[in-house]
Amino acid sequence: EDPHDGAGLTVQESKPKLKQPPRYKVLLLNDDFTPMEFVVHVLEAIFGMSREKATQIMLHVHTRGVGVCGVFTRDIAETKVAQVKDHAHANQHPLMCTMEEA
Ligand code: NFA
C-alpha cells in the first residue's frame, strides 16, 4: 500500500503483531536432604504430574542435579516457584526451585 497520502505525509502502515508472550522453564534443583517421596508429592500436587512422570522427573533431578518441571508464562512460572518454595519450607525441606526464560 502507498505509504503517502495526497498531501505527501507518511501514513502509518499497520503491521500485524503476532508476538507470543515469553515462556519460562521452571527448574527443580537437587539437594542432599529433601526426601524423594516429598519431591514426588510436590511434582504431583503443583505440576499436575502422574506418579510415574513425577518419579521420572525426581530421579532425573536427583542424578543430573537439575531438571525442568514445565514451561509456563511468567506469572504462572513465578506462582509455581513460590508454591514449591513455600511447601518445601513449611515442611523444613531445603528443596529449591528457580525459573529461566525458555
Ligand atoms: N537427593 C535427594 C535424596 O537423595 C532427593 C531429591 C531429588 C532432592 C530431587 C531434590 C530434588 N533424598
Side-chain angles (χ1 to χ4, degrees):
E1 170 143 12
D2 186 352
H4 300 283
D5 69 7
L9 299 173
T10 300
V11 174
Q12 179 61 53
E13 302 240 18
S14 63
K15 268 188 285 184
K17 288 180 185 166
L18 298 174
K19 198 161 64 181
Q20 299 302 123
R23 303 270 158 173
Y24 294 82
K25 292 186 284 191
V26 172
L27 304 175
L28 198 63
L29 278 57
N30 187 39
D31 67 75
D32 292 338
F33 304 103
T34 304
M36 290 185 174
E37 182 50 47
F38 183 84
V39 178
V40 171
H41 160 74
V42 161
L43 292 170
E44 291 177 315
I46 297 174
F47 296 93
M49 293 181 194
S50 66
R51 175 145 295 243
E52 293 68 32
K53 179 72 178 175
T55 301
Q56 176 192 317
I57 298 295
M58 180 279 293
L59 286 173
H60 174 94
V61 174
H62 176 70
T63 55
R64 305 287 302 275
V66 62
V68 179
C69 302
V71 181
F72 308 95
T73 55
R74 188 169 70 179
D75 281 7
I76 302 293
E78 284 174 348
T79 299
K80 301 280 189 197
V81 169
Q83 286 174 329
V84 171
K85 289 180 176 177
D86 288 353
H87 195 50
H89 298 160
N91 290 276
Q92 287 98 47
H93 297 310
L95 182 63
M96 276 305 305
C97 190
T98 61
M99 58 191 271
E100 69 176 32
E101 196 166 345

